[in-house]
Every structure is written in C-alpha cells, then in structure tokens.
Amino acid sequence: MSAAARMIIDSVDDLARRFSDFGDGTPRYDKLYEAYARLALKPGSAVLIFAPNGVEFLLHWIAALANGYVPCAIPPSAKTSFVAELRKSLKIAAIVGPHLNPALYQAKQSSAIGTLNSVVCDLIPPPYEPFDVLILTTGTSGSQTACVHTVESLACNAIMTNRTLNITAADRQLCVLPMYHSYGLVTQSIGSMLSGCELKIDGPPFNANRFADLIRKERISICGVTPTIARDLLRKGTVLPDLRSMSIGGDRMSPEDVTSLLGKPFINELYITYGLTEAGPRVSVLPAHIAPVEAYDSVGMAFSGVFTRIDAPDADGVGQLLVKTPSVCRRKVGENLPRQPFTSDGFLETGDLFTKDAAGYLRYVARKTDILIVKGEKLNVRSIDAVAELHPDIEFARTTAGDMNSLVTRLWAKDDKTLDLDEIRVFVKSSLRLHEVPDKFIQERNAVFHK
C-alpha cells in the first residue's frame, strides 16, 4: 500500500473528531469495512457510490479503497438509466446507494452497508488496480467518462493546494460543494484529511443565508466556492463573518467580480484558481489580495512543480493550454473515447484556450469546443452564455451547435421559474451581434447542470 493511501486510511481514526455534518450520526468505519469485504470483489474492482454529502459518504469511500476496490463517486440524484449506462461504460462491479433494486442492475440480491444498500453486478476481470480512484469528468468531456487517478495523484494535488493556500491544522473548513466532484472530494475532503484541519460538511443545494450562518456558528476560517456561488453572494449583498481565506474555482471570474469581493471587509485572503479533473482541481492560483490589478482577469500562475505551455498560439497568443503536473490522472476511460489527451512529451491537453504573458499569468479564453463557425462566422458560445446569464431569471446558460448550421441555447432558471423564451430572445438580442443570436432557446427542467 502506498504512503498516500496509508495516510488517508489511517486518518479514519481521527475523522470522528475533526469531521462533522448535519446528519443523525454515521455508521462505524470498521462495520463498513467488513461489509465491503463481504462483497468479495476482486482487487481493482470498481464500485459506484452515490450518497449525500456527509461523513458517511467519506467513510464508504475510504472503506472501499481500503479493501482494494476502486471507488467512483456519482451524484446522489443519479437516475437508474444513468447508473446503468455508467456501469457498462466504466465496467463497474458493484453499486452502493439508497434503496437499490437489484433487478434493475441484473443482480440477484442486495445487502446493507451502513445506511445504504449494495448490489454486486458483475465479477468480470477488473480493468483497474487497487488504490486507483475513478472521478467522473464534467459534461464537457462526456457524461459516461471518468479519469483514472491514483490515490497518490489526488493526495499530491491536495498537498499542493494546502501549501499554496496556506491551509493548516489550525483551520476550520466548510464544504458546501458536491463531494462527487474533484473540487469537494480532493481539495476540501482529502485536503482536510492531510492538513489536519477540521471540516464541516453541508449542502448542496447552496443557500446564501445558511452559508453565512454556518460560517458564524461553526467559526469557519476557510471555504472554497464556485464562481456561481460567489456571484450569488455579491448579487444578494450577503454579509459573511470574517473569513481568513476564500478560494474560487470551477469557471471564469470577471475582474469586476474579483474587485467587488476584495472590497468586502470579511474576506482577508482571496484565491482565484484553475484546475480540471484530469490534472487535479487546482493547478494554478491567483492570490488576488496581493496580486496587481491588471492580473484580476487571470487565473494566476501555475503551482510550484506544475509546468504549462500554450500550444500553437495564434496571432493573439491564444492556444490550447498544456499542463504537466505530478497530480495528473493515469488515463481516461469510458466508451467512445477517441484518444488519450496526452502529448508525446507528457503534457496534458486541457481542451481550454488560454494566453500566457511574459510574467507567467494565465488567462482563460474559451473551451476549444466553444469556438464555432456558424453561418460562416467565428464565434465564442461562452460569450453568448454570459449575456444570457445576465438575465435576472437565468441561473445557467449553455449554447451549442444545433442542426442545419444553427445555435441552440439551453437555459436553467433560478428557483425553477418558468421562463418567457420570447422575452429572453429580445433580452440577449439587444447585446449580441445578429449572427450570435441563438436560433432556439430551450428551458431545462429537473436536469443536472454540468460545467
């Protein structure tokens, strides 16, 4: 067993003291470990785990790992059809979650593991190795693909993040982000295991007033949020208790939003970060509280030990960002993957377009797939989304190419409101050039949003 795996597994004895949530209690780890052992899976077998944010989820994750299995966390709201497809695509041997019907997964029976149930689906030769970890990719890479990390690569990214953001055992961290994504799992959960800090687990869904109350009541010193949450706090004028540190990652932050956050007296240190599932949720950072104003539109510089370059830059210096880091995944898996995203000299192809200035500041431009030629015109669909998201009723917008050389924008409403799509069209048309106006708007309901 690797040193990193041993550190994480050994941290279980201390989790009851340092980690807490708002549930009614958690099962004993030794009972979970024994229940996973009784599944009698082959070493390297993959296990899907879907459970709400909480200490029990982490204990399941560690118990699976300690048995030599390969944990793969998925959304607790995942539908049966999604799980069935994922099982096939990732060659899953067992599924652990609430209220499982064995017949839906071609299994004969289920057994209890903690407050969850388990079904063994298939005992095929496992395609993974003990102490591998599967982390689902975001919607930009396809919903049935995952990155195969080692425990070492995840621990490496967590340690780099702790060091760069000055997270120590003296901190109290709040996790309100989904723990099935690398941000909540690696940066916050594994990071807290390794730093020795205390971790309070909540959410999702996110609520600004509850967020402020928790920071006050739990005496939180550090937290990590997404740009969407940060903008929600700004829009609502939420006043937080004093925080030593807030980090933001997962999407682009505007210089104006960075300036507004820095103007809040309750944030002492503000870190803008960039990362991706394949490389680890943190590979670059802008310590905005000490950075020059002209860098507010960047994601800072690469972590120490991480190397970056811009591939095939155009006349404006825009090209694909390549990253070489010790926290990179081993490979990607899933059906219909065209190729592995690695160069011959060991750099990861991020799929993101960036510029890099002489000082080393990295500035995000767009996903490669966001640059489209529609009706003979080159456009960035994310700029269309940004305009749509200015509408007071819209939480998220995602524009893609449709049939017959058209543009389609899918919309997620705030508070499940019913959107007036004709009014939305008029709203975006006032700020876009004619060829940028989507041909069709669709409101998404009861759907999961992926960046």
Side-chain angles (χ1 to χ4, degrees), residues 169-431:
D171 283 306
R172 293 173 63 88
Q173 181 160 204
L174 175 62
C175 176
V176 297
L177 301 175
M179 298 171 77
Y180 56 85
H181 281 164
S182 61
Y183 194 152
L185 177 62
V186 179
T187 301
Q188 297 184 297
S189 302
I190 294 177
S192 294
M193 294 176 198
L194 300 180
S195 72
C197 77
E198 295 184 41
L199 180 69
K200 192 72 178 184
I201 303 169
D202 192 45
F206 176 80
N207 178 281
N209 290 333
R210 178 175 173 82
F211 183 64
D213 288 342
L214 287 178
I215 291 173
R216 181 182 304 105
K217 292 176 182 177
E218 302 296 333
R219 296 175 288 112
I220 298 299
S221 61
I222 60 173
C223 66
V225 298
T226 63
T228 300
I229 289 177
R231 287 190 286 267
D232 186 54
L233 295 171
L234 288 173
R235 184 174 61 249
K236 294 178 178 176
T238 304
V239 177
L240 302 178
D242 283 350
L243 280 170
R244 181 184 71 75
S245 168
M246 175 182 282
S247 60
I248 303 174
D251 204 349
R252 190 175 187 179
M253 283 291 288
S254 72
E256 294 76 19
D257 287 340
V258 173
T259 300
S260 296
L261 287 168
L262 287 172
K264 303 298 182 184
F266 45 76
I267 299 177
N268 294 308
E269 299 174 15
L270 178 65
Y271 297 94
I272 310 300
T273 66
Y274 167 79
L276 60 164
T277 308
E278 292 85 348
R282 295 288 182 273
V283 294
S284 78
V285 63
L286 176 76
H289 52 286
I290 57 173
V293 174
E294 55 270 22
Y296 287 1
D297 62 343
S298 77
V299 293
M301 302 180 188
F303 280 4
S304 175
V306 175
F307 302 94
T308 62
R309 73 169 186 249
I310 304 299
D311 184 49
D314 63 15
D316 297 319
V318 177
Q320 180 178 200
L321 178 68
L322 304 182
V323 173
K324 181 180 285 188
T325 171
S327 62
V328 73
C329 67
R330 291 175 56 195
R331 67 185 189 278
K332 294 181 71 172
V333 291
E335 293 187 340
N336 303 318
L337 276 176
R339 54 184 290 273
Q340 293 295 322
F342 302 103
T343 65
S344 59
D345 56 350
F347 278 79
L348 171 73
E349 299 170 348
T350 66
D352 290 330
L353 299 176
F354 269 81
T355 63
K356 181 178 179 180
D357 67 18
Y361 286 106
L362 297 165
R363 289 176 173 84
Y364 177 82
V365 177
R367 289 285 299 172
K368 284 184 68 178
T369 53
D370 289 340
I371 306 300
L372 301 178
I373 305 294
V374 177
K375 300 168 186 173
E377 298 281 356
K378 184 178 181 180
L379 53 83
N380 180 351
V381 294
R382 287 298 288 123
S383 64
I384 299 172
D385 298 337
V387 169
E389 288 169 1
L390 293 174
H391 191 283
D393 293 336
I394 294 176
E395 188 71 39
F396 301 111
R398 284 299 177 265
T399 303
T400 57
D403 295 334
M404 303 299 291
N405 204 26
S406 65
L407 286 175
V408 177
T409 298
R410 288 175 168 77
L411 305 170
W412 284 258
K414 294 176 182 175
D415 303 318
D416 292 325
K417 294 180 179 178
T418 297
L419 299 175
D420 183 337
L421 299 182
D422 290 333
E423 189 271 333
I424 299 292
R425 175 180 295 279
V426 172
F427 177 86
V428 301
K429 190 174 181 179
S430 66
S431 299

